Amino acid sequence: MDAPVTRLTREQRRAQTRERLLSAARGVFARGGFHGASVEEIASEAGYSTGALYSNFDSKEDLFLALMEREIELHASEIVAAVRDEASVSERAQGGARQWMALIEREPEALLLFMEFWAYGVRDPDIRPKVAASFAQARGVLTGLIADGVRDFDLELALPAEQLAIAIDALADGIARQKLADPDAVPDELMGRVLSMLFAAATRPATNA
Amino acid sequence: MDAPVTRLTREQRRAQTRERLLSAARGVFARGGFHGASVEEIASEAGYSTGALYSNFDSKEDLFLALMEREIELHASEIVAAVRDEASVSERAQGGARQWMALIEREPEALLLFMEFWAYGVRDPDIRPKVAASFAQARGVLTGLIADGVRDFDLELALPAEQLAIAIDALADGIARQKLADPDAVPDELMGRVLSMLFAAATRPATNA
DNA sequence: CTGTTCGGATAATGAACACTATCGAAATAA
DNA sequence: TTATTTCGATAGTGTTCATTATCCGAACAG
């Protein structure tokens, strides 16, 4: 039908190989963690040899970091999209929370990968800044959303948006962790409810002095 | 002065050895994670041989699980103590939060260990129940504290205490994770503030119908 | 068409490591 | 005292694994 399998320029083939390796790495790292994953397993799951892997990445660590970069980029936009267009603070909170819980269920590997990234980064001074940066990015996104809400609904915050973002990020993270350890222990609507309550307590109508 | 080094009964010596091995394991597992730690390193850091280690524990995993059991038991009571005697809801929240932030600073290894335990358990069906149980234990403690508060200050909850406990646990966890990745990004008072706000939004004076 | 470059395969290499078999010495029991 | 149990040491064993040296064939440049 299509698939002129061999009619690819060098560049294209290389990109394809890289992509397939990353994609396999995602599964293997998620399944076994960084130390538990073997490059051999990754390469063969991608349909290549370890030689191919080392031709595309400097080391196991390099591959892992490249994967994390792709992964973080990928999910950053997803939550934003789910929040932007809702009509009220509480609806935005519910929307964001729902999206988050769905993400946990649909792609638990993403969570596992990020935890692995965290564990790796906390221990390695060279990596820690990268982990810190990705937290900062997440907080930045949340801070932006909060600022939007404050503007759109004419509110005042009892707490800097930055700090509220920290708390929300923490909440999302912690709920995900509990849910992955024991899915039945965490009701799906909890996140939305708590988020709404938090906003209720942290905001009030702006006093237009 | 004291230390009749060799005047120990077998049982005592064995207990001492076990204890020292666990103590060394704590450091090594925290430093490198489960896979990154070697039994050789643990044994030698404790001042023993690997033979001694295998005479006291069935396997690396067995040692790790024994360590986690001790560790969880140890910290469970600490938070409770910091909360019991405060005079108001908000003071209890602040007290608990302060204790938590202090714990993060004082013993980050405890956090790292628990994360490792989580990562290990989420992947292994035989271990997951143990991780779930320790989460349940933490939630149980928190639920009890919330119930105490509700009783002592005659309140009503907008949310089951169980679920509020999930949220608080999540918050504590997530804040700790961010703080370990980037200490400067998380102000120390944040946890207390958010907790107070959460309680403010989740409780109201009981209507004694 | 020819020579060169480059992506990827094959097959080693060397180290690390979980676990074990065996032994000595100290502690208990007789 | 002597006999026996038991803790812990010594010194492997077999395996796994990240990384590399080498080579082949296809794509590109001339």
Side-chain angles (χ1 to χ4, degrees):
Chain A
M1 313 310 175
D2 48 15
V5 160
T6 193
R7 284 298 135 219
L8 286 174
T9 166
R10 275 221 178 119
E11 211 177 0
Q12 287 173 318
R13 274 203 99 78
R14 190 167 171 77
Q16 189 186 65
T17 306
R18 209 183 135 89
E19 178 56 32
R20 286 180 179 163
L21 284 167
L22 279 169
S23 173
R26 199 184 115 99
V28 177
F29 278 131
R31 200 156 58 237
F34 179 80
H35 291 286
S38 86
V39 294
E40 168 94 25
E41 192 183 354
I42 293 171
S44 91
E45 187 152 316
Y48 293 94
S49 64
T50 68
L53 193 154
Y54 277 91
S55 162
N56 281 274
F57 301 92
D58 289 346
S59 64
K60 187 184 180 185
E61 175 174 311
D62 182 42
L63 167 60
F64 179 65
L65 294 178
L67 170 65
M68 287 315 301
E69 209 159 311
R70 197 186 72 150
E71 193 72 14
I72 288 167
E73 194 57 43
L74 199 70
H75 290 293
S77 48
E78 189 165 337
I79 296 292
V80 183
V83 178
R84 284 249 181 263
D85 304 320
E86 297 291 340
S88 71
V89 170
S90 142
E91 281 171 84
R92 289 191 185 185
Q94 303 279 348
R98 199 172 6 252
Q99 185 71 17
W100 178 248
M101 298 310 287
L103 179 64
I104 297 171
E105 197 136 9
R106 178 162 41 86
E107 304 204 51
E109 322 98 44
L111 241 296
L112 286 171
L113 282 174
F114 195 75
M115 289 311 234
E116 203 60 34
F117 183 45
W118 178 88
Y120 199 65
V122 167
R123 285 171 181 130
D124 184 332
D126 293 344
I127 310 298
R128 185 160 40 203
K130 301 191 185 203
V131 177
S134 78
F135 270 119
Q137 183 186 353
R139 282 195 302 267
V141 169
L142 284 172
T143 304
L145 291 173
I146 294 167
D148 288 353
V150 166
R151 182 170 26 71
D152 293 353
F153 302 109
D154 201 27
L155 299 169
E156 259 179 19
L157 284 173
L159 203 67
E162 262 288 344
Q163 295 193 24
L164 200 49
I166 296 174
I168 294 170
D169 193 338
L171 198 63
D173 237 59
I175 284 189
R177 291 247 330 283
Q178 291 180 68
K179 184 131 191 129
L180 262 103
D182 186 356
D184 296 334
V186 183
D188 280 335
E189 341 76 52
L190 179 61
M191 174 88 194
R193 282 212 195 128
V194 173
L195 222 48
S196 296
M197 285 172 34
L198 201 53
F199 280 126
T203 63
R204 54 178 177 176
T207 59
N208 300 327
Chain B
M1 311 308 180
D2 49 16
V5 160
T6 195
R7 284 299 135 218
L8 288 172
T9 164
R10 277 226 176 113
E11 209 177 2
Q12 287 173 319
R13 274 202 98 79
R14 191 167 172 78
Q16 190 186 63
T17 305
R18 210 184 134 89
E19 178 56 31
R20 287 179 178 166
L21 284 168
L22 279 170
S23 175
R26 199 184 117 99
V28 177
F29 278 130
R31 203 156 55 238
F34 180 79
H35 291 287
S38 85
V39 294
E40 167 93 25
E41 193 183 352
I42 293 171
S44 92
E45 188 151 314
Y48 294 95
S49 63
T50 67
L53 193 154
Y54 278 93
S55 161
N56 281 274
F57 301 93
D58 289 346
S59 64
K60 188 183 178 184
E61 176 173 312
D62 182 43
L63 167 60
F64 179 64
L65 294 178
L67 170 64
M68 287 315 302
E69 209 159 312
R70 196 187 72 150
E71 193 71 13
I72 287 167
E73 193 57 42
L74 199 69
H75 290 293
S77 48
E78 188 165 339
I79 296 292
V80 183
V83 178
R84 284 251 182 260
D85 305 319
E86 297 291 339
S88 70
V89 169
S90 139
E91 280 172 85
R92 289 192 185 185
Q94 303 280 348
R98 202 178 356 260
Q99 185 70 17
W100 179 246
M101 297 310 286
L103 179 64
I104 296 171
E105 198 137 11
R106 178 162 41 87
E107 304 204 51
E109 323 95 46
L111 241 296
L112 286 170
L113 283 173
F114 195 77
M115 290 295 174
E116 204 61 33
F117 184 46
W118 178 88
Y120 198 65
V122 167
R123 287 173 180 127
D124 184 332
D126 293 344
I127 309 298
R128 187 160 38 205
K130 301 193 185 202
V131 176
S134 79
F135 270 118
Q137 184 188 352
R139 282 195 301 268
V141 169
L142 285 171
T143 303
L145 290 174
I146 294 168
D148 288 353
V150 165
R151 182 171 27 71
D152 293 354
F153 302 110
D154 201 25
L155 300 169
E156 260 179 17
L157 283 174
L159 202 68
E162 264 286 346
Q163 295 194 23
L164 200 49
I166 296 175
I168 293 169
D169 194 338
L171 198 62
D173 236 58
I175 283 188
R177 290 245 334 281
Q178 291 181 68
K179 184 132 191 127
L180 269 138
D182 186 356
D184 296 334
V186 183
D188 280 336
E189 340 78 52
L190 179 61
M191 175 88 195
R193 283 212 195 127
V194 174
L195 223 48
S196 295
M197 286 173 35
L198 202 53
F199 280 125
T203 61
R204 54 177 178 181
T207 59
N208 300 327

